[in-house]
Amino acid sequence: MPTFDFDRAIDRRGTGALKWELFPGDDLLPYWVADMDFVSPPAVLEALRARVDHGVFGYAMAPASATEAALDYLRDRHGVAAEREWIVWLPGLVPALGMACRAAMATATATAGAGGGSALINTPVYPPFLHAHGEAPPMDLVKVPLAAEPLPGDRIRYGIDFAAMEQAAAAHPLRADIFCNPHNPVGRVFTEAEVREAAAFCGRHDMLFISDEIHCDLIYDEARTPHFCAAKLGGDLAARTVTLLAASKTYNIAGLGCAYAVIPDASLRRRFTRYLGSHGGFVPEVNALGYCATEAAYRHGEPWRRDLIEYLDANRRALEEFAAAKLPGVPLAQIEATYLAWFDLRPSGIENPAAHLREHARIIVSDGANFGAPGFARFNFGCPRAMMLEGLERMARAVDGTLI
């Protein structure tokens, strides 16, 4: 049994919580943005209280102890023998996507004198991936859909269509592959072979490999679907790889704005860091509380994380059982990681599922169109089980009778 109480309902209204307050309506329940409705680990709260008691919150730089915590975490959790200078601290991973695209364009210009190019993404995908290229004009965007394999019981398993990626490379001057593993929103943990093949694709076509791994500590069966961190790539592939990580999703500290990139190649690292405020750029520094929370999470949060996974896994299984019983004909992606469920509501015939569910179920889900997949919806089950089941019941009632 979990030691920590994840069933406790916490009133987040009136706290400026984006998840709960962006959409007005006391009867609305939110299952959209990817933060959890759980109290962060006690060790994180204790560290933050001690830092707040210090009372001074000026501009911050990374404490050596935070970098050491990140290096130890990479070594102990993911088998990555990173060096201190490889770590680039960031105020979040969304700006890092744009920074990496700019670095890709700068790399292409430096090596080939090319004046344009494209970023490749596999859709559906986390919405900022669809816009990161806009931070690096004149970069374009090339979308290659993931391959959806139907499974028994209205399930879907997604994979990478490498043949389609090769076709895209033949038709476009690709500069970067923005990769998501574990994948948001489809919940796949890509295998080591898949990660290596994606990286090798980048090597063949002289591209940067940008791997967003923010959900890598939210895997349900690490023996069956282990995470392979792109920072373990060696040789020439390491020289073109940017691995993006954070404690934010796992330990529910996303609002504190702290992440980091692992960039082994010094030249690539210089092109990436030129956009940080500390280097004269436009991306702000990490705040002091973000460093503090990340270090405490990595040093002392593992017992809480293990209990969290146990609780979320029970939520996942309850959600899958509910979908099979009360949402027949609505395909659901196989969830190997994350606390996000990806529903294909196209069989319902509902033109705009997110709007329909808001109006008729009084729940807020993420609109699949924003991920490049109209007709789908993303449902966040990182909440007390009673709240999750209430949202699913509302969904089922709103969808009932619409299936075609």
Side-chain angles (χ1 to χ4, degrees), residues 296-388:
Y298 280 162
R299 288 297 188 204
H300 309 296
E302 180 60 13
W304 185 92
R305 189 194 71 86
R306 288 197 298 267
D307 276 7
L308 171 72
I309 294 296
E310 181 180 340
Y311 188 87
L312 288 176
D313 192 28
N315 270 9
R316 175 184 69 141
R317 287 183 276 108
L319 182 147
E320 291 172 344
E321 291 168 4
F322 183 98
K326 296 191 176 182
L327 288 167
V330 175
L332 171 67
Q334 183 170 292
I335 309 167
E336 297 174 347
T338 83
Y339 45 82
L340 306 167
W342 184 243
F343 287 98
D344 180 359
L345 287 160
R346 291 175 299 176
S348 71
I350 300 169
E351 184 173 346
N352 186 330
H356 181 88
L357 293 175
R358 180 178 178 183
E359 179 179 356
H360 297 284
R362 305 305 290 162
I363 64 172
I364 305 297
V365 296
S366 295
D367 188 344
N370 295 332
F371 298 75
F376 287 74
R378 192 188 74 174
F379 182 99
N380 177 349
F381 59 88
C383 58
R385 194 159 303 129
M387 177 181 163
M388 179 193 75

Side-chain angles (χ1 to χ4, degrees), residues 2 44 48 68 90 99 125 135 147 167 248 259 288 312 316 366 368 377:
V44 171
L48 288 171
E68 288 297 329
L90 302 158
M99 293 168 64
V125 75
E135 295 296 324
Q167 292 172 0
S248 57
L312 288 176
R316 175 184 69 141
S366 295

Side-chain angles (χ1 to χ4, degrees), residues 130-200:
L130 296 165
H131 307 290
H133 69 291
E135 295 296 324
M139 181 175 260
D140 297 318
L141 184 67
V142 175
K143 304 174 188 176
V144 175
L146 293 169
E149 175 191 359
L151 300 176
D154 291 323
R155 298 288 176 83
I156 315 168
R157 188 174 190 270
Y158 287 86
I160 303 170
D161 189 340
F162 287 107
M165 287 171 60
E166 289 292 351
Q167 292 172 0
H172 303 275
L174 299 179
R175 306 301 183 203
D177 177 12
I178 312 179
F179 193 71
C180 189
N181 181 39
H183 195 278
N184 172 9
V186 307
R188 263 300 310 280
V189 179
F190 294 116
T191 65
E192 177 178 346
E194 288 171 309
V195 175
R196 288 192 180 278
E197 188 168 353

